[in-house]
Amino acid sequence: MSSAAAAVPQVGRTKAFLRLVMIEHSVFALPFAYIAALTAMFLLDGNIHWGKLLLVTIAMVGLRTFAMACNRIIDRELDARNPRTANRELVTGAVSVRSAWTGALVAVVIFLGAAAALNPLCLALAPIAVIPMVVYPYGKRFTNFPHAILGFAQAMGPVGAWLAITGEWSWDAVILGLAVGIWIGGFDLIFGSQDVQADRAEGVKSVPARFGVPAALYGARACHAVTTVLLVWYALATGAGVFFWAGLVVVAVAFLYEHTIVKPHDLSRLNRAFFSTNGFIGIALFGCALMDLLVRGLTV
């Protein structure tokens, strides 16, 4: 560690690490883990188990933090050569590689600890959840479809949350997990469209780089149409009520808005589509799902 880095207060380094892993982006997957966990609680005994919900939160945030730290570490040289990512913390030196690895290891230990505290099945399956988190950053080096790896990784969230509550496999959770994975894979197609030139110059593989931005955006539309169908299937499978169905209407409208503001020849509002709209989708559907479960008898 350089003397300049050593002079940075610990609080400053912690904030830099949290910026590195974009901790606020937990809003994308965490609401769906909550939907799965709370639905499982409702079907199990109708009560919210706050301790288990806290452990699910810790596990999700821990695993996601590990995944993002690994992503940034593995991609740091590519990030340095991409104008859009050249200001990331590992490139500028705000976070050292050693600190990033330390944070990643702490995060994965926290994840494994939370899994162990939940039930033996969660602990046994936890290493499987870690694998795609490490594979994904390398995916862009060997396949044109790294978005599918990301989707698979994210699909495990609701499945794991359901297992955390019941200790048993659930195909309903798989339906929700697939919806989440395909949704996130779809908006990753949109996000990747802004890096086409840099990716092609570096030999980075992706759908936008290989097939072009129009194809990627059409692919994202298809993904989000499938996501909507899967969410409808999940609602039917779990006997969802009127509030959840209202949430699905909100999600469908948000998808239409997202794909209206991003066009192949105009990516100027991409960040609004990627961050704002998709963050809203997760929070809105969770709010509607929670209201639905409470109305149907879930006890706080």
Side-chain angles (χ1 to χ4, degrees):
M1 183 181 299
S2 68
S3 58
V8 178
Q10 182 61 45
V11 173
R13 292 200 296 271
T14 300
K15 288 183 178 179
F17 178 78
L18 294 177
R19 288 197 304 270
L20 173 77
V21 299
M22 304 180 78
I23 195 71
E24 68 276 8
H25 287 186
S26 299
V27 72
F28 292 140
L30 197 54
F32 290 89
Y34 286 154
I35 291 173
L38 292 171
T39 303
M41 291 176 190
F42 172 74
L43 296 175
L44 183 66
D45 60 13
N47 296 307
I48 295 180
H49 299 263
W50 292 103
K52 287 189 175 182
L53 199 61
L54 176 61
L55 287 172
V56 167
T57 304
I58 293 170
M60 287 287 295
V61 174
L63 184 57
R64 188 200 166 277
T65 300
F66 168 76
M68 283 296 295
C70 288
N71 194 345
R72 293 293 188 256
I73 294 167
I74 293 167
D75 280 352
R76 64 188 185 279
E77 294 183 2
L78 290 175
D79 287 344
R81 297 192 291 270
N82 184 337
R84 183 181 67 82
T85 57
N87 288 325
R88 284 179 174 169
E89 288 73 15
L90 281 175
V91 179
T92 63
V95 176
S96 68
V97 175
R98 180 180 178 180
S99 295
W101 273 124
T102 300
L105 291 174
V106 169
V108 79
V109 168
I110 290 173
F111 164 67
L112 294 173
L118 283 162
N119 58 60
L121 182 58
C122 284
L123 179 59
L125 296 177
I128 298 175
V130 172
I131 294 171
M133 306 303 174
V134 179
V135 172
Y136 168 64
Y138 291 107
K140 62 178 69 74
R141 293 161 171 82
F142 64 82
T143 177
N144 290 315
F145 304 96
H147 327 279
I149 302 173
L150 176 63
F152 175 74
Q154 298 295 330
M156 294 187 295
V159 178
W162 197 294
L163 287 172
I165 304 306
T166 67
E168 298 178 355
W169 184 261
S170 167
W171 288 108
D172 293 344
V174 171
I175 296 169
L176 182 59
L178 287 173
V180 173
I182 294 172
W183 166 55
I184 290 180
F187 74 65
D188 193 52
L189 290 173
I190 298 174
F191 189 71
S193 295
Q194 63 188 320
D195 290 328
V196 168
Q197 292 184 347
D199 286 351
R200 287 173 176 170
E202 293 293 332
V204 173
K205 297 179 182 294
S206 71
V207 168
R210 173 64 179 84
F211 302 103
V213 173
L217 296 185
Y218 280 120
R221 292 175 186 174
C223 285
H224 292 162
V226 172
T227 297
T228 304
V229 172
L230 287 169
L231 289 174
V232 168
W233 187 4
Y234 175 78
L236 293 171
T238 57
V242 63
F243 284 102
F244 191 90
W245 287 102
L248 293 188
V249 173
V250 172
V251 169
V253 171
F255 278 150
L256 289 173
Y257 171 75
E258 178 178 14
H259 291 285
T260 299
I261 64 174
V262 178
K263 302 181 184 301
H265 58 277
D266 182 10
L267 300 178
S268 61
R269 291 184 287 181
L270 185 146
N271 282 338
R272 184 189 302 178
F274 180 77
F275 297 112
S276 302
T277 306
N278 286 297
F280 168 78
I281 285 172
I283 294 172
L285 187 60
F286 168 67
C288 291
L290 176 60
M291 182 66 69
D292 187 64
L293 290 169
L294 292 173
V295 168
R296 291 164 62 196
L298 181 66
T299 301
V300 176

